[in-house]
Amino acid sequence: MPNYQGKYLSLAVFLALLVLPSSCNGNSVPNREAKALLKWKESFGNQSIFQSWVTPATANATTQSPCRWRGVTCNNAGNVIAINLAYTGLKGTIENLDFSSFPNLLRLDLKVNQLTGKIPSNIGLLSKLQFLDLSTNSLNSRLPLSLANLTLVYELDISRNNITGELDPSLFPDANSRSKTGLMSLKNFLLQDTLLSGRIPNEIGNLKHLSLLALDGSHFCGPIPPSLGNLSSLTVLQLSSLQLSGNIPVSFGTLRKLNILYLHINHLSGFVPEELGNLSSLVVLHLAENNFSGNLPSEVCGGGKLVNFSASFNNFSGPIPKSLKNCKTLYRVRLEYNQLTGNIAQDFGVYPNLTYIDLSYNKLSGELSPNWGECRNLTLLKAAGNMIGGKIPDEITQLNQLIELDLSSNQLSGIIPTQVGKLSKLLSLSLKDNKLSGPIPVGIGGLSNLESLDLSTNMLTGPIPYQLGDCSKLRDLRLNENGLNSTIPYQIGNLVALQDLLDLSYNSLSGEIPLQLGKLTSLESLNLSHNNLSGKVPSSFSNLWSLVAVNLSYNNLEGPLPNSNFFRSAQPEAFSNNKDLCGERQGLKPCNATFTENGGNDKRKIVIIVVASLASISILLMVCIWILSFLRYRSVNQSKVEGRANRENLFSIWQFNGKFMYKDILEATKNFDETCCIGVGGFAKVYKAEMPDGQVFAIKKLSSHTDIEMQLVKSFKNEVAALTELRHRNIVKLYGFCSERRHLFLVYEFMERGSLAKILSNDVGAKELDWTKRIQIIKGVAHALSYMHHDCVPPIIHRDISSKNVLLSSELEARVSDFGTARLLNPDSSNWTEVAGTYGYVAPELAYSMAVTEKCDVYSFGVLALEVLTGNHPGELISYLHSSPDQRIGLADVLDPRLSSPVEQQSEDGLSFMLNLAILCFNPNPQSRPTMRSVSQQLEVGCFW
Ligand SMILES: *[C@@H]1O[C@H](CO)[C@@H](O)[C@H](O)[C@H]1NC(C)=O
Ligand SMILES: *[C@@H]1O[C@H](CO)[C@@H](O)[C@H](O)[C@H]1NC(C)=O
Ligand SMILES: *[C@@H]1O[C@H](CO)[C@@H](O)[C@H](O)[C@H]1NC(C)=O
Ligand SMILES: *[C@@H]1O[C@H](CO)[C@@H](O)[C@H](O)[C@H]1NC(C)=O
Ligand SMILES: *[C@@H]1O[C@H](CO)[C@@H](O)[C@H](O)[C@H]1NC(C)=O
């Protein structure tokens, strides 16, 4: 309010001066500030932000004073007191801004832009400055010592830049005094031209009014200056992700107002001073990823306000501090990977708001207290790798928000709680490497979201409950090294999402292997060794297309091995020590080799057999020759262009459990009539086919010409090869493919709602996609890409992620489609190819290098995620947004205006988290982009530091 009044008042005064006889020389007030600003503007070229900044000569009464310019604020006297151009996409330097012209400046806010170059050393002339925020730019500078002059500054944020401190004075004794002779000494060279990491200048301790000091994410090294302890008004101190070393200064104990202290990810060492316990206002304390030793500060929650505490990945030893036990405010706690000791039952209390606690890999002993059941909001509980004994308390099954439970590698005994199935949100359960006994509870089938289950290396007995077959999302199942007996329930074959590993080895399982296991077509590794399994290896195992490792050794299996390339080429050890396995492969005896087995006593018999075999072989040979010449004759008559497509000349259907025929498809699409066409793409048309039995498919037809161009065949084969190896709930299902001389087509799952691009482009559709659905869509695409990049061997790069290639199911779930340009990323082959992809989504590096990596997909994903948030392709916004991770971009400015803003705080947090993740993903530097796996994991767990 006062600001507005001020502005209008100053304008009025100004106009009055204009109207009055020019006794005060009003028209040509020598406006140093305007001149300095215009000079700065000139250095930017033509950027629209500065449209309102015009020279007095061309200005009229309304724009003459800089006080009316965008981002400039004046006081009543017409002096510039604030320059605020945060988030404006400013691209340039501040080296040309003459700070000496702004003696009244109070605020300078240029955060989140693309500023480069140095911070001018005369910044120290802004002697009234109170607020300086240059964070999230690319400033490449030493921190000017003159900053120490700005004694009135209360907020100083230069985080996320390429700023460094002063050189270590002991290395360069006179580093700060220029050589009188003017010779470029080594020191001066270093000072002027390169940015070796430097120290945080001790002089910062002069800024007595500082309330916020953020230097994180730049390039400071060396010790933390003890003078920071003088900043008694500090509430926020961010020194994370630097290369700081040495101890935490004892003087920090005087920072009584400190709420937030970030020291994580540095090389700090030594004991954490007890004096930190004096910080009675602490809400957030991050000490993780340093080399601290000794005890955790005993009064860490002395003020009773601590919410977020991390000390993981250090060498802390000794007991859990008493003050933590009663710290009811805790929300997140990370203490993993230390040497902490003590009794876990006695040292922890009840934390009603706790959502995340990781105590893994310490030396905690005692038993798990039933109290953990009272921490009702826990989503993650990990205490792996300790010495915890006793039983798993039944109360733990009350944690109905739990997503991850890991108690592995302890000394837990007794049974698995029978009610474990109540943990219905659980994604990951690991109890491996304990001394658990008794049966696997039948209720485990209630874990309908479970993706990973590891009960290996225990003393579990009894049968594998068939209810396990209800955990339909399991990707990884390990029950090995127990005493499980009886047969393998055939329902295990329903776990079609199994992918990483099915390990039932080292048990006492008996009976035949259920042929239903052949349905596990995504499974990569199967271990059934060291059991008492008998009978044949089911021939359905030849359907296990994804297998890369198998072990069936040490059983009583017999008969032929399945007829598939994988089984033909697997190592013989995988089948050793069985009753009577045979197959056409080294290390096994061939099947049907009855005569060698019957011994060689009867020579006549052998002669007869040999003669008979020779005769039949020659007949076979003649038949083959005849067939070959016939085929050759035919193929000469056929179109000469067929090339390699010829091999799939017959209709092939994979993965499809109903029966349908080529003819049915022709009928269902009325012989590919235009009325059935639902989409046209670069190389293909898509048809909707309603089969006689009511099923609906999308048929993607690549060409109907007799002459199939090689390009098409290539694209077709790429798609087939990539897709048949992909099985994921966020990837469009491929049921079958057909390569017939006149038609090349793929049979897909039909996606009722069409593409994301289509639905976002109309207002009704956009409104239907509320924030919850949009978040799910982004997550779905992230999971699909993570799967392609990190779970496929070799990894698959999509290359053309865009909103056109993300389809939606009837429940508006995302399914990634169109792998026309995808190619198996074979590490041996070159990844340099022509640019593929959709304009506006293609990563910038492809414009000059053409090196296709997973990071190109990450870029396109970032664009897509932003598009889902904003409602249309974010084109210009992307050039505006800077690449660095940033928490503070205006959410309201970007969200799709067709939706009302998110109601709950929760979902607003989620959206800004997503926004920041998207921004990280389209970082221009591929190396700085996260991997899809980490994106996918972060989206799932939603843990932010
Ligand atoms: C004077 O300023 C107003 C408001 O900015 C603008 O619309 C108008 O075009 C300007 N006139 C001239 C001559 O610059
Ligand atoms: C510090 O401020 C004083 C006046 O307030 C000024 O004379 C001096 O040049 C400044 N020093 C630096 C290094 O900017
Ligand atoms: C940071 O500065 C160093 C030294 O000048 C330079 O090598 C590096 O590329 C810069 N990094 C960024 C992100 O600007
Ligand atoms: C738990 O969280 C709620 C909501 O954030 C807060 O109001 C309450 O004070 C917290 N409880 C404790 C014991 O800190
Ligand atoms: C647990 O979380 C819910 C929502 O996530 C929240 O409403 C509730 O206040 C939390 N419980 C406590 C005890 O804070």
Side-chain angles (χ1 to χ4, degrees):
M1 278 298 153
N3 250 350
Y4 273 101
Q5 272 174 12
K7 260 197 235 167
Y8 287 128
L9 195 65
S10 65
L11 181 67
V13 169
F14 200 81
L15 289 177
L17 287 176
L18 283 180
V19 174
L20 287 171
S22 61
S23 58
C24 309
N25 205 9
N27 206 5
S28 60
V29 167
N31 199 332
R32 270 182 82 194
E33 294 171 339
K35 270 195 201 150
L37 288 172
L38 288 172
K39 184 164 164 252
W40 187 40
K41 172 195 166 180
E42 266 172 43
S43 73
F44 282 90
N46 222 351
Q47 292 185 31
S48 60
I49 312 142
F50 294 112
Q51 226 159 31
S52 59
W53 294 29
V54 287
T55 58
T58 60
N60 59 32
T62 49
T63 53
Q64 201 163 28
S65 150
C67 304
R68 305 285 296 183
W69 295 354
R70 177 170 176 187
V72 180
T73 310
C74 299
N75 61 8
N76 293 350
N79 299 313
V80 173
I81 54 166
I83 300 174
N84 178 355
L85 294 171
Y87 304 107
T88 51
L90 217 53
K91 213 172 188 169
T93 83
I94 51 174
E95 288 170 13
N96 302 308
L97 184 55
D98 178 11
F99 290 114
S100 68
S101 305
F102 302 95
N104 296 297
L105 198 67
L106 304 178
R107 289 178 72 92
L108 178 58
D109 189 353
L110 302 175
K111 65 171 162 276
V112 196
N113 283 302
Q114 300 178 42
L115 296 173
T116 51
K118 302 208 181 334
I119 304 176
S121 60
N122 68 2
I123 196 165
L125 296 173
L126 300 174
S127 56
K128 290 190 182 162
L129 201 69
Q130 299 176 0
F131 179 102
L132 177 60
D133 194 340
L134 303 174
S135 63
T136 317
N137 278 290
S138 301
L139 294 169
N140 210 326
S141 173
R142 246 168 234 296
L143 194 64
L145 279 184
S146 70
L147 273 181
N149 233 7
L150 307 181
T151 50
L152 299 178
V153 165
Y154 64 84
E155 193 159 331
L156 175 58
D157 190 347
I158 58 162
S159 58
R160 301 187 200 97
N161 271 294
N162 201 358
I163 295 175
T164 182
E166 44 175 11
L167 290 170
D168 189 333
S170 65
L171 284 177
F172 304 102
D174 58 346
N176 290 322
S177 61
R178 295 288 166 88
S179 145
K180 275 180 202 154
T181 61
L183 282 175
M184 280 290 250
S185 66
L186 173 66
K187 313 174 278 288
N188 284 340
F189 177 73
L190 288 173
L191 267 177
Q192 286 169 6
D193 293 315
T194 67
L195 277 176
L196 294 180
S197 257
R199 296 164 167 246
I200 298 176
N202 202 38
E203 286 82 350
I204 283 201
N206 297 347
L207 307 182
K208 295 275 188 295
H209 292 94
L210 272 186
S211 162
L212 179 147
L213 175 60
L215 307 178
D216 49 305
S218 265
H219 292 290
F220 293 94
C221 64
I224 301 175
S227 65
L228 293 191
N230 302 341
L231 303 175
S232 57
S233 303
L234 269 186
T235 57
V236 178
L237 178 55
Q238 296 178 200
L239 300 176
S240 51
S241 302
L242 299 171
Q243 290 126 40
L244 301 176
S245 53
N247 299 349
I248 300 179
V250 175
S251 61
F252 272 25
T254 57
L255 302 175
R256 298 292 168 104
K257 294 189 179 158
L258 209 57
N259 292 151
I260 297 181
L261 178 55
Y262 287 175
L263 297 173
H264 53 281
I265 319 185
N266 278 298
H267 309 303
L268 297 168
S269 57
F271 294 172
V272 173
E274 271 307 309
E275 285 79 359
L276 274 199
N278 300 343
L279 307 184
S280 53
S281 305
L282 262 194
V283 175
V284 180
L285 175 60
H286 286 315
L287 305 173
E289 298 190 47
N290 280 291
N291 299 321
F292 291 123
S293 53
N295 290 354
L296 290 172
S298 64
E299 288 302 317
V300 62
C301 187
K305 297 187 180 133
L306 196 64
V307 166
N308 200 338
F309 176 44
S310 78
S312 42
F313 299 97
N314 278 292
N315 285 313
F316 284 114
S317 55
I320 305 287
K322 292 248 171 339
S323 86
L324 270 191
K325 176 167 181 174
N326 300 319
C327 194
K328 295 229 180 285
T329 45
L330 284 176
Y331 180 82
R332 281 174 68 89
V333 178
R334 299 190 56 174
L335 301 176
E336 71 270 22
Y337 292 94
N338 282 291
Q339 331 270 333
L340 299 168
T341 51
N343 184 324
I344 190 171
Q346 285 153 23
D347 294 349
F348 291 90
V350 174
Y351 312 101
N353 285 355
L354 193 65
T355 63
Y356 187 115
I357 186 163
D358 193 343
L359 306 172
S360 304
Y361 300 97
N362 279 292
K363 296 178 173 166
L364 299 170
S365 56
E367 303 188 1
L368 285 173
S369 138
N371 283 345
W372 289 108
E374 304 291 308
C375 304
R376 289 296 167 83
N377 278 5
L378 262 186
T379 59
L380 180 143
L381 172 57
K382 286 189 180 186
N386 282 288
M387 300 178 292
I388 302 169
K391 294 186 172 151
I392 302 177
D394 285 335
E395 286 78 1
I396 221 156
T397 63
Q398 295 166 1
L399 299 175
N400 56 12
Q401 302 296 314
L402 211 55
I403 291 175
E404 195 166 349
L405 177 61
D406 186 354
L407 304 174
S408 58
S409 303
N410 279 293
Q411 279 140 40
L412 295 165
S413 56
I415 60 167
I416 300 175
T418 50
Q419 302 287 307
V420 69
K422 292 204 301 193
L423 301 173
S424 60
K425 289 198 177 165
L426 214 53
L427 293 185
S428 171
L429 173 60
S430 179
L431 303 174
K432 74 167 176 205
D433 191 14
N434 277 292
K435 297 174 177 162
L436 298 167
S437 55
I440 299 177
V442 166
I444 204 146
L447 301 178
S448 56
N449 286 303
L450 202 62
E451 293 184 357
S452 170
L453 175 62
D454 193 345
L455 305 178
S456 61
T457 323
N458 277 291
M459 303 181 311
L460 300 170
T461 50
I464 299 175
Y466 70 82
Q467 290 85 348
L468 203 50
D470 295 338
C471 301
S472 59
K473 293 187 180 164
L474 267 184
R475 294 160 51 103
D476 189 25
L477 175 57
R478 300 166 200 237
L479 304 177
N480 46 299
E481 296 182 62
N482 278 291
L484 300 169
N485 55 29
S486 189
T487 56
I488 301 175
Y490 72 84
Q491 289 87 346
I492 297 293
N494 296 339
L495 300 175
V496 291
L498 272 183
Q499 196 183 315
D500 302 340
L501 174 62
L502 171 58
D503 194 344
L504 306 177
S505 63
Y506 292 94
N507 278 293
S508 306
L509 299 167
S510 56
E512 299 203 350
I513 302 175
L515 59 92
Q516 285 84 350
L517 293 195
K519 291 196 286 183
L520 304 177
T521 51
S522 302
L523 191 63
E524 288 171 6
S525 182
L526 172 67
N527 192 348
L528 302 176
S529 68
H530 297 270
N531 279 293
N532 300 320
L533 298 167
S534 55
K536 289 184 179 160
V537 179
S539 60
S540 63
F541 271 27
S542 58
N543 295 342
L544 300 176
W545 294 286
S546 306
L547 273 190
V548 291
V550 73
N551 191 351
L552 305 177
S553 63
Y554 293 91
N555 278 294
N556 292 314
L557 299 167
E558 59 192 328
L561 284 180
N563 185 20
S564 75
N565 279 338
F566 174 75
F567 277 91
R568 273 193 293 273
S569 58
Q571 290 299 312
E573 298 82 61
F575 313 108
S576 67
N577 294 78
N578 271 292
K579 191 171 167 195
D580 194 11
L581 284 176
C582 64
E584 308 292 322
R585 52 192 321 297
Q586 210 191 352
L588 280 186
K589 62 177 179 259
C591 299
N592 298 330
T594 40
F595 65 96
T596 49
E597 211 166 23
N598 288 350
N601 285 350
D602 193 344
K603 281 189 177 174
R604 258 180 61 202
K605 206 170 174 180
I606 291 175
V607 170
I608 291 170
I609 290 169
V610 168
V611 170
S613 333
L614 278 176
S616 45
I617 286 173
S618 41
I619 291 171
L620 255 174
L621 266 175
M622 280 165 63
V623 171
C624 286
I625 289 168
W626 180 77
I627 290 176
L628 277 175
S629 51
F630 173 76
L631 284 180
R632 201 192 179 106
Y633 166 80
R634 271 192 44 167
S635 71
V636 168
N637 278 356
Q638 273 175 2
S639 164
K640 58 179 190 278
V641 208
E642 283 172 32
R644 299 204 298 140
N646 208 7
R647 288 193 57 216
E648 285 105 358
N649 211 354
L650 41 131
F651 187 53
S652 326
I653 294 288
W654 298 320
Q655 326 275 310
F656 185 67
N657 43 14
K659 57 172 183 179
F660 76 91
M661 312 285 287
Y662 173 52
K663 233 175 62 200
D664 288 344
I665 289 178
L666 283 185
E667 266 165 35
T669 57
K670 302 184 188 131
N671 210 353
F672 297 113
D673 190 84
E674 288 307 307
T675 55
C676 297
C677 181
I678 52 172
V680 183
F683 287 128
K685 284 186 171 179
V686 185
Y687 296 85
K688 179 176 176 183
E690 291 193 55
M691 306 306 273
D693 64 355
Q695 298 199 67
V696 187
F697 298 104
I699 312 290
K700 184 168 180 184
K701 183 161 74 83
L702 277 94
S703 172
S704 60
H705 301 295
T706 0
D707 288 354
I708 301 150
E709 294 133 51
M710 279 323 286
Q711 176 64 26
L712 290 183
V713 175
K714 209 172 112 193
S715 147
F716 173 70
K717 288 193 159 181
N718 281 346
E719 184 152 15
V720 173
L723 263 177
T724 52
E725 283 168 36
L726 296 184
R727 269 164 227 101
H728 190 279
R729 65 177 172 279
N730 296 112
I731 294 179
V732 173
K733 270 202 204 70
L734 172 70
Y735 288 116
F737 103 93
C738 172
S739 160
E740 190 267 349
R741 203 156 51 81
R742 278 186 308 137
H743 300 299
L744 275 169
F745 59 82
L746 296 157
V747 184
Y748 286 107
E749 181 182 18
F750 177 69
M751 287 290 121
E752 262 162 67
R753 302 304 303 268
S755 74
L756 180 61
K758 196 183 93 188
I759 203 159
L760 280 179
S761 69
N762 77 68
D763 291 352
V764 181
K767 286 200 177 113
E768 198 184 344
L769 284 187
D770 59 24
W771 293 122
T772 316
K773 296 204 182 79
R774 290 189 191 201
I775 288 176
Q776 286 309 325
I777 287 171
I778 297 176
K779 282 187 184 174
V781 177
H783 295 334
L785 284 174
S786 163
Y787 169 77
M788 290 169 63
H789 291 177
H790 302 286
D791 297 322
C792 292
V793 186
I796 290 170
I797 302 178
H798 186 294
R799 292 178 188 221
D800 194 9
I801 287 291
S802 77
S803 56
K804 284 200 179 108
N805 287 334
V806 173
L807 305 184
L808 298 174
S809 70
S810 53
E811 283 92 43
L812 294 170
E813 248 193 345
R815 303 268 211 288
V816 173
S817 88
D818 201 348
F819 297 75
T821 51
R823 201 180 60 135
L824 295 176
L825 177 62
N826 187 332
D828 300 333
S829 77
S830 153
N831 296 317
W832 302 67
T833 86
E834 70 271 40
V835 177
T838 303
Y839 178 75
Y841 296 87
V842 177
E845 67 269 20
L846 285 180
Y848 56 85
S849 85
M850 298 201 188
V852 178
T853 68
E854 287 95 336
K855 293 297 176 75
C856 304
D857 280 353
V858 179
Y859 182 93
S860 310
F861 168 79
V863 178
L864 178 84
L866 194 56
E867 176 174 357
V868 173
L869 295 178
T870 60
N872 49 41
H873 188 277
E876 289 204 349
L877 191 55
I878 292 181
S879 36
Y880 263 43
L881 291 169
H882 186 261
S883 51
S884 309
D886 169 63
Q887 317 286 333
R888 281 163 297 178
I889 209 129
L891 194 59
D893 301 337
V894 298
L895 290 186
D896 190 344
R898 293 171 295 184
L899 288 190
S900 47
S901 43
V903 260
E904 291 164 49
Q905 183 61 27
Q906 187 78 22
S907 87
E908 196 168 286
D909 288 349
L911 289 176
S912 23
F913 178 60
M914 245 172 216
L915 177 63
N916 287 313
L917 209 55
I919 293 170
L920 275 181
C921 289
F922 53 72
N923 191 314
N925 177 6
Q927 267 95 43
S928 305
R929 291 173 209 151
T931 63
M932 280 320 297
R933 168 150 286 166
S934 86
V935 170
S936 152
Q937 281 169 352
Q938 294 209 48
L939 287 174
E940 204 43 65
V941 188
C943 308
F944 353 143
W945 265 91

